[in-house]
Amino acid sequence: MSDMETTQVSRLPRGQRQGLGPLLVPLVVGGLVAIALGVYGRVHAPTGYAVGPSGFSAPLAMKSWLTTGAFLLAVVQVFSALVMWGKIKMNAPWAPALHRWSGRAAFILTIPVAFHCLYALGTQFDVPRVMIHSLLGCFFYGVFTVKMLALPKRGTPGWTLPLLGGLTFTALTGLWLTSSLWFFTTIGVKL
């Protein structure tokens, strides 16, 4: 938002200003999602097995490659968002569709990974890398929930979607660093 737009918004009557009210329900629901995932992962007795690694050598390889795919699609998300918001100047009528579909595909790739992590392994706090990974996983799904619920809301501040998108990307980047990158550098690049 430019300085002129900020000044214009601050001069609006109190009832017409953009406020945080429309974000209250998305924030509460997203927080509950993050907490519920963490609690479930902590109280559920890990089974050690959840998802068959169809086409992959092992569940860790499957999770590493699916997370890498989701991370690469998240990079596409950032690029398309920058194009849509005019931060990268180009004539790209395809950017909104690319943004929506790359986001959908990235989210779908995370589902079997999250299911395996929660059901087979649970939330763990004994190893720092795994603890950070567990917390980031809960945070990722919480902030993703907030972003999806905030999308259709009118009257939210202009920084809402860029902030939520940035937090979602940051959480997914952290998840990739604490899982896929760790796997590829410790175990090796395997299918």
Side-chain angles (χ1 to χ4, degrees), residues 37-63:
L37 289 172
V39 168
Y40 174 80
R42 198 70 183 143
V43 300
H44 168 74
T47 63
Y49 184 79
V51 177
S54 181
F56 295 95
S57 59
L60 281 179
M62 175 203 66
K63 290 172 27 179

Side-chain angles (χ1 to χ4, degrees), residues 50-187:
V51 177
S54 181
F56 295 95
S57 59
L60 281 179
M62 175 203 66
K63 290 172 27 179
S64 296
W65 284 106
L66 291 179
T67 304
T68 298
F71 173 70
L72 292 173
L73 287 167
V75 171
V76 171
Q77 284 268 285
V78 170
F79 171 75
S80 58
L82 290 171
V83 170
M84 289 183 337
W85 291 92
K87 301 299 180 187
I88 295 176
K89 305 286 185 213
M90 62 182 345
N91 182 18
W94 43 263
L98 177 64
H99 188 77
R100 280 190 304 275
W101 283 102
S102 62
R104 290 170 181 158
F107 180 75
I108 288 169
L109 289 177
T110 69
I111 293 171
V113 175
F115 178 75
H116 188 275
C117 288
L118 280 170
Y119 192 75
L121 306 173
T123 304
Q124 300 176 20
F125 297 126
D126 50 343
V127 177
R129 177 190 64 80
V130 178
M131 177 187 70
I132 291 167
H133 184 76
S134 293
L135 294 172
L136 280 171
C138 296
F139 179 75
F140 170 78
Y141 280 99
V143 76
F144 180 82
T145 299
V146 175
K147 182 182 178 215
M148 292 300 103
L149 292 176
L151 271 172
K153 298 281 185 188
R154 298 290 179 232
T156 59
W159 50 261
T160 302
L161 292 179
L163 175 67
L164 294 173
L167 288 172
T168 303
F169 178 76
T170 301
L172 188 57
T173 301
L175 287 167
W176 183 80
L177 291 170
T178 58
S179 62
S180 300
L181 182 63
W182 172 85
F183 177 81
F184 294 141
T185 58
T186 304
I187 310 297

